[in-house]
Amino acid sequence: NSKTKPKSKLFQHLKPNQTPIQRLTTSQLESHNATIWCMSPPCQPHTRQHSNQHKELEDPRSASFLHLCDILMEMREECLPELIFCENVVGFEESLGDF
């Protein structure tokens, strides 16, 4: 098919993981031995723009981020990422989480 674009050689080895983040296990993430994690949790639960900010950790949109935080606490030291980049919104750094 002439309309099909050739796959980039750079990405041919990647096999996307379609497992929801909340189902990933510590051993699965350790197996990647990733040096850098880039995370962008949903901002809606943490923004100052709503009146339920004190319930931010109960918001289902926070579940994937909270799961990754739990996994980080369980990971073997030699498997931890060296850097974690985390996008945030104003007030996120003062979230109610106990991390």
Side-chain angles (χ1 to χ4, degrees):
N1 185 346
S2 62
K3 293 183 180 182
T4 304
K5 292 183 179 181
K7 292 182 179 179
S8 167
K9 288 182 182 181
L10 177 65
F11 296 109
Q12 285 179 351
H13 70 283
L14 295 178
K15 295 177 184 167
N17 184 337
Q18 296 185 6
T19 302
I21 290 173
Q22 295 93 314
R23 292 190 190 155
L24 291 173
T25 66
T26 302
S27 60
Q28 284 175 308
L29 289 175
E30 285 181 338
S31 72
H32 292 288
N33 203 24
T35 305
I36 299 171
W37 286 15
C38 297
M39 303 191 312
S40 182
C43 63
Q44 296 90 337
H46 309 282
T47 184
R48 310 186 286 193
Q49 303 300 318
H50 64 79
S51 60
N52 290 329
Q53 190 168 3
H54 63 284
K55 294 185 177 187
E56 63 194 285
L57 299 180
E58 297 171 22
D59 191 310
R61 295 171 289 190
S62 293
S64 58
F65 178 70
L66 295 173
H67 181 69
L68 288 174
C69 289
D70 288 342
I71 284 181
L72 281 167
M73 300 299 290
E74 297 171 1
M75 288 178 74
R76 292 175 289 142
E77 188 172 344
E78 64 270 15
C79 297
L80 288 170
E82 293 178 26
L83 291 170
I84 299 174
F85 293 101
C86 185
E87 178 186 18
N88 68 4
V89 295
V90 174
F92 180 78
E93 70 281 2
E94 296 174 1
S95 291
L96 299 173
D98 190 19
F99 302 108

